[in-house]
Amino acid sequence: MRFIFSFVLLFGLLINANAQDNEAVQSFEQSLNGLRNNIFNGNRKNSSKTISPYYYRLIDPEVYSASAIKGMMTLEDLEGDKRDQINHFIDKSLVGLYLKKPSAVAYSDLNINQEQSVPVVKEDEPIVLPVEKVDDILNNELEVKQAKDIDDNIVDIGLKVEKPNFWKFTGKASLQFTQNYFSDNWYKGGNNNQNLLASLILQANYDDQKRLSWENKLEMRLGFMTTPSDTCHKFLTSNDKLNLYSKLGLKAKKAWFYTATAEANTQFMPGYRSNNRLKFSNFLAPFDVYFSIGMDFKPSLKNGNTFSLALLPFSYKMRWLNDKDDNIHRVYNMVDEDITHDFGSKLEMNCKFQIAKDFFWKSRLYCYSAYDYVEAEWENSFTYAFSKYINAEVFTLWRFDDNRDRKYYDEHLGYFQFKEYFTLGLTYAF
């Protein structure tokens, strides 16, 4: 009876193993043949090697093994332990026997010790195995690349796994327009004027959610206002900014990142003052470039809120004046100079918070010190979205710069400067 069931077991192993594992199954079959011959032919004493109790349940396949059912009903990672690989094939073969010939299984491993008529392995007579094929199997790695390598019955449903895209591209465009008109006899007086402000912000950010992040931002703002009382200019720029910013971060620990930043600043149009023909700035005059390295504290916040504080003790600044106008050189304290190089330290803070529904606060602070002068800006933007396309914004900007001629010092503000505007207009985010 045992002889028949042993061959049924081997047949089940051969049926359930796939082509990739034929070599391992054949080796296993030879080992089982040697085990069967030693057990049934009484050659135990002539063998020199004792078999591990791990394989005892293969001796009597007509015994119902609860562990075999449990092994087949449990989802296991078959790419793990190689013993689990062999154990899976054993369970599969035994369960196949139980299903095909349930009448042949007379005993259960739960009561096998109470059945005196059932032959079991005696502890004083160890089973030995002259063939060492089992050890060869245990010492060889079984490579499983796909689920179908283990079970041919698995159906390919065409599931496609794509690599996640860690890039995020966003943009925001806005256009605001205001206009004032006063009749000639308006009792308080006033100047007719029109104001137009256009802005475009593009961002491309990479974040693998583990170690690497890379932020890129291009910001462009350009605004004009008419000045009827200005005898020198029909209009002046009210807002003029062209900024490109990039920050690369490598996670150090928790919310801290090793970081390197690069930034370039300039403007689009020449800058004038009311009733003054002198030029105070121009495109690429000045053109400021910063390179900095340090640490960035960037915690994870909820509800889309963001906060970043970068401490950059090693910072380089280059300023280039691509204009030969003498007044521009005097304004930026670069008489007879077109380019300057400074080394110092820099601090950057950027944050965005949702104060209430559809009401947001964005803030940016940077401070650069070359140890003989300080240049700092703190801008705040409060935005309320009436709808998806209409919003209102209050913008304020404080600036400090003591790298200037003393004549630009103000009795009340010192080297501080201030700017503010309010807009209501169209906005499109994408």
Side-chain angles (χ1 to χ4, degrees):
M1 185 66 175
R2 297 193 185 97
F3 186 81
I4 295 175
F5 281 105
S6 297
F7 276 101
V8 172
L9 169 62
L10 293 175
F11 183 76
L13 285 172
L14 292 174
I15 292 298
N16 293 316
N18 60 19
Q20 185 176 354
D21 300 314
N22 281 340
E23 183 179 354
V25 173
Q26 292 174 3
S27 299
F28 196 31
E29 178 187 0
Q30 295 175 9
S31 300
L32 292 177
N33 286 331
L35 173 62
R36 185 186 68 254
N37 293 333
N38 278 276
I39 293 174
F40 298 144
N41 296 333
N43 294 329
R44 299 174 184 173
K45 295 183 180 180
N46 298 327
S47 301
S48 59
K49 190 170 183 179
T50 303
I51 187 173
S52 170
Y54 183 83
Y55 298 96
Y56 282 176
R57 63 186 181 130
L58 292 175
I59 300 173
D60 293 299
E62 69 268 31
V63 175
Y64 175 86
S65 175
S67 61
I69 300 297
K70 181 179 179 181
M72 291 302 299
M73 298 299 292
T74 303
L75 295 177
E76 298 179 348
D77 182 8
L78 298 181
E79 295 186 74
D81 191 358
K82 50 193 173 185
R83 286 184 177 271
D84 292 339
Q85 292 267 354
I86 299 173
N87 196 37
H88 177 75
F89 290 123
I90 296 173
D91 292 340
K92 193 170 182 180
S93 300
L94 292 177
V95 172
L97 175 64
Y98 302 155
L99 295 175
K100 292 178 181 179
K101 292 186 179 181
S103 60
V105 183
Y107 304 100
S108 169
D109 61 351
L110 299 178
N111 59 9
I112 191 171
N113 291 329
Q114 286 84 23
E115 299 292 341
Q116 300 299 327
S117 61
V118 177
V120 294
V121 178
K122 297 181 180 180
E123 296 181 356
D124 56 348
E125 295 185 4
I127 299 176
V128 291
L129 181 64
V131 183
E132 299 181 0
K133 293 296 184 179
V134 174
D135 283 343
D136 293 339
I137 295 176
L138 294 179
N139 293 329
N140 292 330
E141 294 288 343
L142 297 178
E143 183 179 2
V144 180
K145 296 181 178 179
Q146 298 180 0
K148 292 192 67 177
D149 293 340
I150 301 174
D151 192 345
D152 289 332
N153 295 324
I154 295 179
V155 179
D156 187 2
I157 61 174
L159 180 63
K160 185 179 180 181
V161 179
E162 296 183 353
K163 183 179 180 181
N165 184 10
F166 298 120
W167 282 98
K168 183 178 181 181
F169 301 92
T170 59
K172 182 179 180 181
S174 63
L175 181 65
Q176 286 90 22
F177 176 79
T178 59
Q179 183 262 345
N180 290 287
Y181 171 78
F182 302 90
S183 63
D184 294 337
N185 62 344
W186 183 251
Y187 73 107
K188 288 185 177 180
N191 289 319
N192 302 333
N193 63 83
Q194 294 84 35
N195 293 271
L196 178 67
L197 174 63
S199 66
L200 176 64
I201 300 175
L202 302 175
Q203 297 187 37
N205 299 328
Y206 178 91
D207 187 358
D208 65 0
Q209 306 296 323
K210 291 184 178 180
R211 293 185 58 83
L212 185 65
S213 66
W214 187 19
E215 301 176 11
N216 300 277
K217 181 179 179 180
L218 174 63
E219 183 176 5
M220 296 176 284
R221 292 178 181 268
L222 185 59
F224 299 96
M225 61 179 180
T226 58
T227 55
S229 60
D230 189 347
T231 58
C232 299
H233 313 284
K234 293 183 177 180
F235 63 88
L236 295 174
T237 56
S238 59
N239 203 318
D240 195 352
K241 180 179 182 180
L242 176 58
N243 174 264
L244 179 62
Y245 179 81
S246 182
K247 179 169 68 174
L248 180 66
L250 182 64
K251 191 168 186 178
K253 186 177 181 181
K254 295 183 179 180
W256 286 95
F257 290 77
Y258 302 108
T259 189
T261 67
E263 183 176 7
N265 291 308
T266 187
Q267 61 190 59
F268 291 98
M269 305 294 293
Y272 298 95
R273 292 181 179 176
S274 180
N275 292 307
N276 191 332
R277 296 187 181 278
L278 293 177
K279 189 189 303 182
F280 288 83
S281 60
N282 202 354
F283 177 67
L284 297 180
F287 177 58
D288 294 336
V289 177
Y290 299 87
F291 293 101
S292 308
I293 58 174
M295 297 292 293
D296 184 20
F297 177 68
K298 188 167 60 174
S300 298
L301 304 179
K302 298 180 180 179
N303 302 324
N305 297 326
T306 61
F307 178 83
S308 171
L309 178 62
L311 307 176
L312 308 166
F314 306 102
S315 185
Y316 162 75
K317 175 188 175 183
M318 182 204 73
R319 171 167 284 177
W320 178 41
L321 297 181
N322 186 32
D323 196 306
K324 299 300 182 181
D325 189 276
D326 292 336
N327 189 63
I328 294 179
H329 284 259
R330 284 192 297 268
V331 167
Y332 291 98
N333 197 25
M334 294 176 60
V335 178
D336 299 328
E337 288 183 295
D338 292 331
I339 189 170
T340 59
H341 305 275
D342 292 316
F343 295 90
S345 300
K346 191 177 181 184
L347 179 145
E348 293 180 3
M349 187 276 292
N350 288 274
C351 67
K352 177 183 177 181
F353 293 98
Q354 183 175 359
I355 301 176
K357 184 180 180 181
D358 300 325
F359 185 42
F360 299 90
W361 169 49
K362 292 177 61 178
S363 182
R364 171 183 174 270
L365 169 68
Y366 95 86
C367 179
Y368 174 80
S369 174
Y371 309 120
D372 58 346
Y373 72 90
V374 175
E375 180 182 278
E377 284 188 0
W378 183 30
E379 61 182 47
N380 292 275
S381 175
F382 298 90
T383 305
Y384 183 80
F386 293 97
S387 67
K388 183 178 180 180
Y389 301 108
I390 300 177
N391 70 1
E393 179 183 11
V394 176
F395 179 87
T396 63
L397 174 61
W398 282 94
R399 178 179 173 84
F400 179 88
D401 186 1
D402 61 357
N403 186 30
R404 301 168 68 85
D405 192 275
R406 183 69 182 178
K407 67 180 181 179
Y408 298 104
Y409 183 88
D410 186 85
E411 294 182 357
H412 302 287
L413 296 177
Y415 287 110
F416 279 100
Q417 304 164 49
F418 180 72
K419 178 181 180 180
E420 178 269 340
Y421 65 79
F422 169 79
T423 62
L424 176 65
L426 300 176
T427 300
Y428 177 68
F430 53 93

